[in-house]
């Protein structure tokens, strides 16, 4: 018996029409697994199927459906039963493939998918001859998930008035743009964490600069403090944690440490950022962030 999985991808492949793809087979946990050439869904605009699309001079088309076949003697098709093949197996199999395509094809837009909730999919059970199964009471012939994404941003009369209420020639804080970019980077955790931490670095630096100016600290002395003393040794310069703690305490009379939740949040973001930058995984302790 076959279980054919079709997953709608959040990106498109450009696939040559005349090429023949070798079908490779592997066995995992008793399931024979085959990846079939990608397909095209009805979700793609017709403009994407332009006859001008070509690879090495050969006509090509846009494909956005990943097709995987699982073969086993029998599948658990009970209507109230779990997905068979198991969700964790499907997740591991398709993401191993996508990560390899991303690496071999140098394809930055290809990214892992969180199965079963991350993308729409369809799982059809077929005979070994790829024919429809007969109806049987209590057993399903197909499982599926349909998911749609929408996003809005509020535009109220108050926001409208505030937009025009900003002073002329006012500049938008750099840290604010970085923080919005971090939110927009999701669900890519690593880049989002790095951008968020960079926003914190820029925020505290600009805040302390403003406080130092208000305290009438000389620019020369303040520059000396920030740049690590006479030798301008960045290793001796105040760290971001020092800025949120000792320097903020000195200039504002309060440290981020005075709020344990905020301090813990800052240190967690810092740890996740350092883990991603140095190991390629955003982790807090031994836990990888999702």
């Amino acid at each position: 018996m076959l279980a054919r999985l079709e997953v709608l991808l959040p990106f498109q492949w450009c696939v040559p029409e005349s090429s023949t793809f070798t079908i490779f087979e592997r066995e995992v946990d008793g399931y024979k697994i085959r990846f079939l050439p990608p397909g095209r869904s009805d979700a793609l605009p017709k403009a994407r199927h332009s006859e001008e699309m070509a690879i090495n001079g050969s006509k090509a088309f846009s494909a956005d459906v990943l097709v995987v076949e699982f073969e086993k003697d029998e599948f658990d098709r009970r209507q109230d039963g779990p997905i068979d093949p198991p969700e964790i197996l499907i997740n591991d199999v398709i993401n191993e493939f996508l990560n390899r395509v991303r690496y071999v094809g140098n394809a930055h837009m290809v990214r892992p998918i969180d199965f079963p909730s991350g993308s729409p999919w369809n799982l059809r059970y077929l005979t070994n001859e790829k024919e429809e199964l007969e109806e049987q009471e209590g057993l399903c012939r197909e499982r599926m998930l349909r998911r749609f994404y929408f996003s809005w941003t509020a535009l109220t009369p108050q926001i409208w008035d505030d937009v025009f209420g900003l002073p002329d020639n006012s500049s938008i804080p750099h840290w604010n743009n970085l923080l919005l970019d971090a939110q927009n980077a999701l669900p890519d955790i690593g880049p989002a964490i790095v951008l968020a931490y960079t926003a914190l670095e820029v925020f505290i630096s600009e805040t302390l600069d403003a406080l130092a100016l208000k305290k009438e600290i000389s620019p020369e002395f303040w520059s000396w403090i920030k740049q690590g003393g006479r030798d301008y040794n960045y290793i001796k310069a105040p760290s971001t944690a020092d800025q949120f703690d000792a320097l903020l305490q000195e200039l504002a009379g309060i440290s981020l440490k005075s709020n344990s939740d905020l301090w813990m949040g800052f240190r967690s973001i810092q740890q996740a950022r350092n883990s991603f930058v140095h190991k390629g995984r955003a982790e807090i302790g031994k836990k990888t962030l999702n």
Side-chain angles (χ1 to χ4, degrees):
M1 184 179 292
L2 300 178
R4 173 174 288 187
L5 175 70
E6 297 182 349
V7 181
L8 183 62
L9 301 169
F11 53 85
Q12 287 86 46
W13 275 308
C14 182
V15 181
E17 290 187 354
S18 58
S19 296
T20 300
F21 287 82
T22 303
I23 307 301
F24 295 94
E25 182 176 284
R26 57 184 296 202
E27 186 166 335
V28 180
D29 296 339
Y31 295 86
K32 292 181 180 179
I33 303 171
R34 294 180 288 269
F35 281 85
L36 305 184
R40 182 170 60 196
S41 75
D42 295 333
L44 286 178
K46 292 182 179 180
R48 296 249 178 103
H49 310 324
S50 169
E51 295 182 358
E52 297 179 0
M53 183 177 288
I55 296 180
N56 296 330
S58 298
K59 187 177 179 181
F61 66 95
S62 292
D64 62 343
V65 177
L66 178 64
V67 185
V68 189
E69 278 188 353
F70 297 84
E71 182 179 341
K72 195 180 180 184
D73 291 340
E74 290 289 338
F75 290 93
D76 185 350
R77 298 191 291 121
R78 291 172 297 165
Q79 292 179 353
D80 58 351
I83 296 176
D84 189 13
E87 296 176 9
I88 189 170
L89 173 63
I90 294 176
N91 187 78
D92 290 345
V93 166
I94 63 177
N95 283 324
E96 180 185 11
F97 172 76
L98 291 175
N99 282 325
R100 290 187 176 201
V101 171
R102 180 182 174 93
Y103 171 67
V104 175
N106 198 29
H108 65 87
M109 75 291 294
V110 176
R111 60 188 62 188
I113 294 172
D114 183 18
F115 186 89
S117 60
S119 292
W121 54 269
N122 202 78
L123 183 68
R124 296 174 60 203
Y125 296 105
L126 305 167
T127 68
N128 287 337
E129 291 72 32
K130 302 184 180 182
E131 297 176 349
E132 296 283 349
L133 296 173
E134 294 183 1
E135 289 188 35
Q136 290 181 268
E137 185 176 351
L139 300 181
C140 65
R141 297 186 293 173
E142 190 170 15
R143 300 183 188 273
M144 67 183 68
L145 172 80
R146 294 294 178 264
R147 187 170 186 175
F148 304 91
Y149 296 90
F150 301 93
S151 63
W152 296 270
T153 184
L155 182 59
T156 64
Q158 184 64 57
I159 293 175
W160 183 269
D161 292 346
D162 289 344
V163 166
F164 291 98
L166 290 173
D168 292 340
N169 301 320
S170 59
S171 59
I172 307 300
H174 297 302
W175 62 264
N176 184 262
N177 282 328
L178 287 166
L179 188 58
L180 293 175
D181 287 342
Q183 294 172 335
N184 191 53
L186 292 170
D188 288 337
I189 299 298
I193 288 289
V194 171
L195 284 167
Y197 187 75
T198 304
L200 290 174
E201 290 180 313
V202 175
F203 168 77
I204 191 59
S205 178
E206 292 183 351
T207 299
L208 292 177
D209 285 346
L211 289 170
L213 183 63
K214 187 176 181 180
K215 290 281 188 177
E216 298 184 350
I217 297 176
S218 71
E220 294 79 12
F221 181 60
W222 181 240
S223 178
W224 184 84
I225 292 176
K226 290 181 63 178
Q227 296 182 16
R230 183 179 297 110
D231 298 331
Y232 296 100
N233 188 339
Y234 76 94
I235 297 178
K236 298 180 181 179
S239 66
T240 304
D242 293 333
Q243 294 177 63
F244 272 110
D245 182 17
L247 288 183
L248 190 59
Q249 179 70 50
E250 180 64 27
L251 296 177
I254 189 171
S255 164
L256 194 69
K257 277 187 177 179
S258 62
N259 186 310
S260 59
D261 288 340
L262 290 180
W263 183 253
M264 183 180 299
F266 163 72
R267 297 297 280 185
S268 294
I269 293 175
Q270 184 181 50
Q271 184 179 354
R273 177 264 181 197
N274 291 341
S275 171
F276 181 75
V277 168
H278 297 293
K279 298 194 299 182
R281 300 185 301 275
E283 299 176 333
I284 298 176
K286 294 183 179 180
K287 182 179 179 181
T288 300
L289 301 184
N290 59 31

